[in-house]
Amino acid sequence: MSQSGTYYIPHGSRWPIVAAIGLFLFMVGFGNWLNGNDSLGQTVMGLGALTIIGMMVGWFGSVIHESMRGNFNGQVDVSFRMGMMWFIFSEVMFFGAFFGALFYTRMISIPTLGGEGAGALTNQFLWNGFAPAWPSNGPEHIGGAFSTMPPWGIPLLNTLLLLSSSVTITIAHHALRAGHRGRLLVFLGLTVLLGATFLRFQVHEYIEAYTHLNLTLHTGIYGSTFFMLTGFHGLHVTLGTIMLIVIWLRCVRGHFNRDNHFAFEAVAWYWHFVDVVWLCLFLFVYVL
Amino acid sequence: MAHDAALPHDDHAHADPKGFIHRWVMSTNHKDIGTMYLVFSLTMFFIGGLFAMGIRAELFKPGMQLMQPYFFNELTTMHALVMIFGAIMPGFVGLANWMIPMQIGAPDMALPRMNNLSFWILPFAFVLLLSTFFLPGGAPAAGWTMYPPLVLQGGDDVAFMVFSIHLMGISSIMGAINIIATILNMRAPGMDLLKMPLFCWSWLITAFLLLAVMPVLAGAVTMLLTDKFFGTSFFNAGGGGDPVLYQHVFWFFGHPEVYIMILPAFGLISEIIPTFARKPIFGYKAMVYAIACIAFLSFIVWSHHMFTVGLPIGSELFFMYATMLIAVPTGVKVFNWVTTMWRGSMTFETPMLWAIAFVILFTIGGFSGVMMALVPADFQYNQTYFIVAHFHYVLVTGAAFAIIAAVYYWLPKWSGHMYSEFWGKVHFWNSAIWVNVLFFPQHFLGLAGMPRRIPDYNVAFADFNMVSSIGGFLFGATQLVFVGVIIHCVFFSKVRAPAKVWEGAHGLEWTLSSPPPHHSFVTPPVIDNSVLAHGDVMH
Ligand SMILES: [Cu+2]
């Protein structure tokens, strides 16, 4: 641990280069797989994934270790907070690209294909008779006839699940600050269960969409936006749930105290972010 | 927190790490990481430059000379991707790494290990990208903008291109987070935001641009990937999507991206000109507000890249006026640089020469930009060499000249030795002359209607193309002088540099020895306003 004067500078670490190699392997493998070199691609991709997981265990492990020894001062804590905050902001922009695609197709590309504005001739000569509507899989009806997921069944349930998980994690946070260890563990554990249940329902919904509704990734622009948005959100819920499990284990081990629990708060922020994205999804993908 | 020497693994902070792997691969030192960024940037500058030499060789004469048209397209595409993501952006990040902690009185970057990861992702990303040359079907060839449906007709390169862009995005986002945390959290007590050097200001704002748009680029290329491999219809009109959607998403990234490549250059020039004019920058606060203003406007002008795709007339007008509005804060900056020099006691060391060339030549690029912002005129300029001339004036004589100026300006500080002023000037004058021979005729070619990204052309364009190619070869060869100057300065120069290298320089970095200690500031420096360029916020 390098401690220079009043500042804290971490010592050198092997994890960044391991992370870079892991990412590289993962992407080389994935690319080969997509290009048809299935077995080679999957092997390299798997190796990359294992390297990334090992890196995360090692890197976070060493940071936790350093934190437990009290190496981090208030300034480091603020840097961590800023890091997490602006990381979440970049995630918001990432989702923004896909929401932008959804709004653009609903408000501009589908009406234009239907002959609105500058699209009159396109409609008349290329796709005469295509009437703009949403949901749509386009004038060529790519993927064939399909139906959409009714919002007031599983999606509504999932909304309630995520909303209550936001409440439970807040209760857990208050319990942590008040020093109620039992309540902290119960409510954080509840949050994990709610997240896992959400994922279980999401999987069920995907199976339902593929087997009964003929709603797939190939279902024109509706299927594309539906699965891209809910899929990336689901991926984030998965990551968030794993993070919650790690935090729960750390609470069991007594890693946090009422003043010093940045990791807990970072995961809580992330979880609220995932929750807000879901609310937008529920509104714009399912209801409207 | 007290220094606890009893801790295990306690290596002493001030000793240089031993061994190549420890020092470079596992680094947590902002100077070493900055050096790696800069060396990487220079390497990519030459690889991208090699592609440019291939392009100019093919265009030396009309008719097909050296290569198949498809390979020519690979060269134009890869030249742009390598120069933008490999040379210019890492060059600025390298300068940020070296200078921001020293300028704000910090020991290092806020998150040093993440800093190391940001760098080390890049060599892997570019191995991935450059390896596509050896794949069946070759490298990406649809232009750096990667427009569908053309780009989706590529071969095995598409997946690797998309993934390398993802990697570069991850690297940039982490770099941006680090710079924000460093500037907002690591400033020495008394270093108020409005006392910071303008280079720090320009990077603070650039970092927010990066955070806002790199994820959007990642989203755009992800949709390309799923359209090609997973059967989605984002950019397929038959399925209800739209290729123009890609252009909107891409240019929502792409226009702020051009400011990501020029705002730090503004910051650098605002450091160098006051030093050699021996006057504080004219209108410090106006410079800060102008950068912020340009950054804001950069989010609402993207469709000026799409004037000919068939947008409604109302949106064309909006984007035209919004684009022209950017000329106002940019004009403020140019005016303030000129006014800083006005009646200054100027000397013309190499960094100053590059900075003055920047002001003049970047302004030419800015003017041609305003011409293209006019919708009716743009219908003529679109997809011609006029565009090529414009963005090379802002990116080569703008961004690249600023990076080179900064390297000359701080190289004595970094290495502890003076570079050769004679060879620096040889480098400058040859670059300044040949870059204009290279790019200025391209304005005329474009106005006469020569299309870009085409390996053959009408014989009517022959003379200007030959002139441009000769300028290109000589400009390229001149850059070898730069490598010579750097190697000489770092390894062979006998002239020691003092702490304050330039007589008129201000700022905390000049209070440190040359080269600076391993950790820049071990304890927070006591800020003496007279040392700072902007200690007195009144101006
Ligand atoms: Cu633009």
Side-chain angles (χ1 to χ4, degrees):
Chain A
M1 247 27 57
S2 307
Q3 190 73 48
S4 9
T6 54
Y7 290 117
Y8 172 76
I9 303 294
H11 64 79
S13 164
R14 74 176 82 94
W15 299 116
I17 188 73
V18 174
I21 293 170
L23 283 168
F24 179 67
L25 289 177
F26 185 83
M27 288 183 166
V28 168
F30 196 9
N32 270 292
W33 185 11
L34 290 176
N35 288 335
N37 304 325
D38 290 12
S39 61
L40 172 80
Q42 287 161 358
T43 313
V44 176
M45 192 177 161
L47 266 175
L50 286 178
T51 314
I52 293 170
I53 292 168
M55 174 277 293
M56 291 199 148
V57 172
W59 192 335
F60 286 114
S62 64
V63 173
I64 290 168
H65 193 59
E66 286 160 18
S67 164
M68 295 309 293
R69 284 199 315 211
N71 284 2
F72 299 154
N73 54 29
Q75 192 173 32
V76 177
D77 195 59
V78 173
S79 291
F80 284 170
R81 277 161 202 279
M82 286 182 172
M84 191 65 195
M85 204 164 76
W86 292 109
F87 166 67
I88 290 176
F89 173 72
S90 76
E91 290 267 58
V92 170
M93 294 307 293
F94 183 68
F95 275 99
F98 299 118
F99 274 108
L102 176 70
F103 299 149
Y104 180 88
T105 44
R106 289 185 62 167
M107 284 155 59
I108 296 177
S109 77
I110 295 283
T112 308
L113 290 168
E116 208 175 84
L121 292 177
T122 311
N123 179 259
Q124 192 179 335
F125 290 109
L126 286 179
W127 289 300
N128 200 359
F130 172 65
W134 188 261
S136 168
N137 52 356
E140 286 174 5
H141 303 291
I142 290 182
F146 68 99
S147 25
T148 59
M149 192 59 65
W152 306 115
I154 291 178
L156 176 65
L157 199 60
N158 267 349
T159 309
L160 297 175
L161 283 175
L162 276 195
L163 280 179
S164 23
S165 77
S166 257
V167 175
T168 52
I169 199 167
T170 306
I171 295 175
H173 191 198
H174 282 292
L176 173 57
R177 277 198 299 210
H180 294 303
R181 193 179 142 78
R183 202 193 298 165
L184 163 68
L185 290 176
V186 168
F187 278 92
L188 194 54
L190 262 179
T191 315
V192 173
L193 286 181
L194 288 167
T197 317
F198 174 93
L199 286 171
R200 175 68 195 83
F201 280 138
Q202 179 99 34
V203 169
H204 177 77
E205 188 190 80
Y206 276 16
I207 293 171
E208 183 77 5
Y210 266 76
T211 51
H212 294 122
L213 303 177
N214 190 31
L215 173 59
T216 71
L217 256 184
H218 303 266
T219 307
I221 192 64
Y222 186 85
S224 307
T225 49
F226 177 84
F227 282 103
M228 195 67 123
L229 280 161
T230 55
F232 266 111
H233 178 262
L235 203 64
H236 282 75
V237 177
T238 311
L239 277 177
T241 308
I242 294 171
M243 284 154 66
L244 285 171
I245 293 171
V246 172
I247 290 300
W248 189 80
L249 290 173
R250 290 190 65 191
C251 288
V252 172
R253 293 248 197 122
H255 280 190
F256 301 123
N257 58 45
R258 56 183 72 187
D259 311 308
N260 197 351
H261 50 264
F262 159 70
F264 183 100
E265 286 180 79
V267 173
W269 294 345
Y270 193 77
W271 194 252
H272 289 310
F273 150 71
V274 167
D275 197 18
V276 171
V277 172
W278 174 261
L279 288 181
C280 297
L281 273 177
F282 182 61
L283 191 63
F284 293 116
V285 176
Y286 291 96
V287 177
L288 294 179
Chain B
M1 205 172 60
H3 183 151
D4 187 354
L7 289 173
H9 320 294
D10 190 293
D11 51 46
H12 199 263
H14 317 297
D16 288 353
K18 295 287 180 295
F20 182 84
I21 302 268
H22 264 83
R23 170 150 187 206
W24 299 104
V25 180
M26 292 166 59
S27 179
T28 48
N29 182 275
H30 73 99
K31 300 189 193 70
D32 290 345
I33 294 170
T35 303
M36 290 193 288
Y37 262 113
L38 290 170
V39 170
F40 177 81
S41 160
L42 190 63
T43 313
M44 288 297 141
F45 184 59
F46 277 93
I47 291 176
L50 206 64
F51 299 159
M53 295 299 107
I55 294 166
R56 281 324 313 174
E58 175 59 49
L59 294 172
F60 189 71
K61 283 195 297 187
M64 301 308 297
Q65 317 292 330
L66 301 166
M67 56 189 78
Q68 295 298 312
Y70 194 83
F71 185 67
F72 181 87
N73 291 347
E74 291 175 31
L75 286 187
T76 54
T77 304
M78 293 293 276
H79 165 71
L81 288 172
V82 166
M83 286 303 200
I84 291 168
F85 294 105
I88 302 285
M89 290 168 69
F92 283 131
V93 182
L95 292 168
N97 260 297
W98 253 102
M99 299 319 299
I100 288 176
M102 283 162 59
Q103 288 189 326
I104 61 172
D108 208 295
M109 298 294 279
L111 302 159
R113 286 180 189 147
M114 195 170 81
N115 198 17
N116 194 29
L117 176 56
S118 312
F119 169 74
W120 276 107
I121 284 177
L122 282 180
F124 291 101
F126 278 87
V127 166
L128 201 58
L129 184 63
L130 291 168
S131 69
T132 55
F133 271 113
F134 307 101
L135 289 178
W144 83 279
T145 51
M146 304 171 281
Y147 278 4
L150 183 61
V151 74
L152 300 177
Q153 294 163 16
D156 286 2
D157 58 283
V158 178
F160 293 112
M161 175 189 74
V162 166
F163 290 143
S164 69
I165 298 228
H166 282 144
L167 287 178
M168 294 166 203
I170 295 171
S171 161
S172 291
I173 288 167
M174 289 193 298
I177 288 174
N178 217 336
I179 286 168
I180 291 172
T182 304
I183 293 179
L184 294 185
N185 191 35
M186 302 292 280
R187 295 193 317 283
M191 175 57 82
D192 305 338
L193 281 174
L194 278 172
K195 286 182 187 174
M196 280 200 311
L198 283 167
F199 178 60
C200 297
W201 261 111
S202 68
W203 245 118
L204 179 63
I205 291 166
T206 303
F208 286 113
L209 290 185
L210 277 169
L211 278 187
V213 301
M214 290 310 286
V216 177
L217 174 67
V221 296
T222 303
M223 289 189 269
L224 284 181
L225 190 81
T226 57
D227 264 19
K228 183 163 173 74
F229 293 102
F230 298 97
T232 56
S233 303
F234 287 107
F235 310 130
N236 173 11
D242 188 352
V244 178
L245 165 62
Y246 176 84
Q247 299 186 16
H248 281 293
V249 181
F250 180 85
W251 287 113
F252 182 83
F253 147 80
H255 192 84
E257 168 69 13
V258 310
Y259 288 103
I260 288 164
M261 292 191 285
I262 205 65
L263 293 184
F266 290 172
L268 294 168
I269 299 305
S270 305
E271 300 288 306
I272 295 168
I273 286 181
T275 295
F276 296 100
R278 290 169 182 76
K279 275 176 63 190
I281 190 94
F282 182 85
Y284 169 79
K285 279 187 181 169
M287 292 302 246
V288 174
Y289 294 139
I291 297 175
C293 192
I294 293 171
F296 168 74
L297 288 174
S298 75
F299 285 105
I300 54 166
V301 297
W302 76 87
S303 287
H304 63 212
H305 297 270
M306 305 162 56
F307 280 153
T308 58
V309 300
L311 300 176
I313 193 74
S315 73
E316 302 224 321
L317 285 173
F318 170 80
F319 284 107
M320 173 172 94
Y321 289 126
T323 302
M324 289 196 294
L325 210 54
I326 296 189
V328 177
T330 313
V332 167
K333 301 200 73 74
V334 174
F335 179 84
N336 285 3
W337 290 322
V338 173
T339 319
T340 304
M341 289 188 272
W342 178 253
R343 293 191 169 164
S345 45
M346 294 212 286
T347 49
F348 299 95
E349 285 86 347
T350 309
M352 184 60 162
L353 291 173
W354 288 95
I356 293 172
F358 170 96
V359 174
I360 297 166
L361 298 175
F362 171 79
T363 305
I364 293 177
F367 279 142
S368 56
V370 176
M371 292 168 73
M372 289 183 293
L374 299 160
V375 173
D378 185 64
F379 273 65
Q380 172 70 20
Y381 306 141
N382 187 56
Q383 287 297 333
T384 70
Y385 257 81
F386 193 79
I387 307 280
V388 177
H390 157 74
F391 66 68
H392 281 98
Y393 265 87
V394 292
L395 287 178
V396 179
T397 61
F401 270 36
I403 293 173
I404 295 171
V407 169
Y408 279 109
Y409 185 58
W410 283 312
L411 193 57
K413 168 59 62 186
W414 299 336
S415 69
H417 297 284
M418 291 306 288
Y419 61 85
S420 160
E421 199 63 60
F422 172 78
W423 286 104
K425 283 181 173 148
V426 168
H427 177 212
F428 168 75
W429 284 109
N430 275 285
S431 296
I433 291 166
W434 300 122
V435 83
N436 283 292
V437 175
L438 163 59
F439 292 120
F440 210 78
Q442 295 181 2
H443 289 112
F444 309 133
L445 288 169
L447 290 178
M450 178 171 160
R452 61 191 284 215
R453 293 170 169 159
I454 305 282
D456 189 7
Y457 49 84
N458 191 307
V459 286
F461 304 131
D463 292 349
F464 276 136
N465 267 298
M466 190 177 283
V467 171
S468 178
S469 285
I470 291 170
F473 300 144
L474 290 169
F475 179 73
T478 302
Q479 303 318 308
L480 296 171
V481 176
F482 188 36
V483 180
V485 172
I486 293 172
I487 290 176
H488 168 263
C489 175
V490 175
F491 297 108
F492 301 105
S493 174
K494 298 277 190 299
V495 189
R496 302 222 41 106
K500 190 172 172 183
V501 178
W502 311 108
E503 181 202 344
H506 289 276
L508 284 181
E509 75 258 42
W510 308 108
T511 64
L512 291 168
S513 60
S514 303
H518 185 65
H519 288 293
S520 301
F521 289 96
V522 174
T523 48
V526 178
I527 305 281
D528 169 6
N529 283 347
S530 66
V531 171
L532 303 182
H534 319 292
D536 169 19
V537 250
M538 293 308 286
H539 60 250

